[in-house]
Amino acid sequence: MSYKDLSSEQLDVLKEIGNIGAGNATTSLAMLLNNNLRMDIPSVKIMSFDDVSEMVGGAETIVAAILTGFKGDVSGMVLFVLEIEDAKNLAGSMLNRTYGEGLVDFDAMDRSALKEVGNILMSAYLSSISTLTNLKVHTEPPGICIDMAGSVLDLPLIELGQVSDDALIIDSKFRDNNEWIDGYLIFVADEEAYKRIFTALGIGC
């Protein structure tokens, strides 16, 4: 299934789920993050994986990606992706640390902090799907990888058997004083998952 095959009503539903999930995530993050770090109102859009690579600076840009699979009545994968500089700024803001220029080796605490933010964002989105549809969704423990954007974005395509060339993107911005930190929540699911979501909401497929 391609997002290009969805009706405007179906697309609006996916975007609204994204907005609800982002709102829930904002509340959860407020209890975790320091007083200077805030989440801005996200934007929700549909784009191809090629465009996603360009959005984060190109296929060879080094990114940090937190990813989790989900199963149950619907299955798929969610990724939270940040350019490496944004990942350092986010981890640094949470842990009150500073990092050198370029690629750095994140230690266990850095990775744990990034996974926690990613996990809150991803869980909030999946929880909004479950709440609105009454479908059961079970998330797997998140993992983190640091690699080129092109390699990271190959993961959901390989995992899901290349069921789609497109993804739902939730552009998540954090503000630390006067500095913006950009992150991207990427939702990919198989055709059956979308059918079940739309059927549960009484929307034709």
Side-chain angles (χ1 to χ4, degrees):
M1 172 181 284
S2 169
Y3 286 102
K4 298 181 181 68
D5 299 327
L6 301 179
S7 68
S8 59
E9 182 183 17
Q10 290 169 332
L11 288 174
D12 286 343
V13 166
L14 291 179
K15 290 180 179 181
E16 183 59 23
I17 291 174
N19 285 327
I20 293 172
N24 293 339
T26 301
T27 302
S28 298
L29 287 171
M31 296 185 290
L32 171 71
L33 305 178
N34 66 45
N35 293 331
N36 294 325
L37 194 61
R38 292 289 182 267
M39 185 177 177
D40 196 26
I41 298 173
S43 62
V44 182
K45 51 198 167 188
I46 309 297
M47 64 172 56
S48 72
F49 280 96
D50 290 339
D51 291 335
V52 174
S53 292
E54 293 305 314
M55 182 176 63
V56 297
E60 295 184 357
T61 299
I62 302 297
V63 298
I66 298 90
L67 59 156
T68 187
F70 57 92
K71 296 179 180 179
D73 293 331
V74 294
S75 61
M77 178 179 289
V78 187
L79 297 90
F80 179 56
V81 180
L82 309 101
E83 287 189 51
I84 193 65
E85 292 302 321
D86 285 311
K88 290 191 292 186
N89 289 337
L90 181 56
S93 180
M94 293 179 65
L95 301 172
N96 195 26
R97 291 183 173 184
T98 57
Y99 304 89
E101 296 295 325
L103 182 62
V104 298
D105 290 327
F106 286 120
D107 63 21
M109 187 173 293
D110 298 317
R111 289 172 177 263
S112 178
L114 291 172
K115 281 200 296 185
E116 184 62 22
V117 174
N119 188 48
I120 287 174
L121 289 170
M122 294 184 292
S123 295
Y125 181 72
L126 294 173
S127 177
S128 68
I129 293 177
S130 182
T131 299
L132 289 171
T133 63
N134 289 319
L135 295 172
K136 295 180 180 179
V137 181
H138 307 291
T139 58
E140 299 173 345
I144 184 171
C145 67
I146 298 173
D147 205 337
M148 291 187 296
S151 297
V152 167
L153 295 173
D154 279 342
L155 291 174
L157 291 177
I158 294 171
E159 180 73 17
L160 297 174
Q162 298 187 358
V163 297
S164 174
D165 294 327
D166 306 307
L168 181 73
I169 312 297
I170 303 174
D171 187 352
S172 306
K173 294 182 182 295
F174 303 87
R175 191 167 189 170
D176 184 11
N177 293 324
N178 294 321
E179 186 170 15
W180 285 102
I181 300 171
D182 289 334
Y184 304 94
L185 197 67
I186 302 171
F187 177 83
V188 186
D190 57 24
E191 183 174 358
E192 186 62 29
Y194 290 113
K195 287 182 179 178
R196 290 183 177 181
I197 290 172
F198 294 135
T199 297
L201 294 171
I203 299 172
C205 298

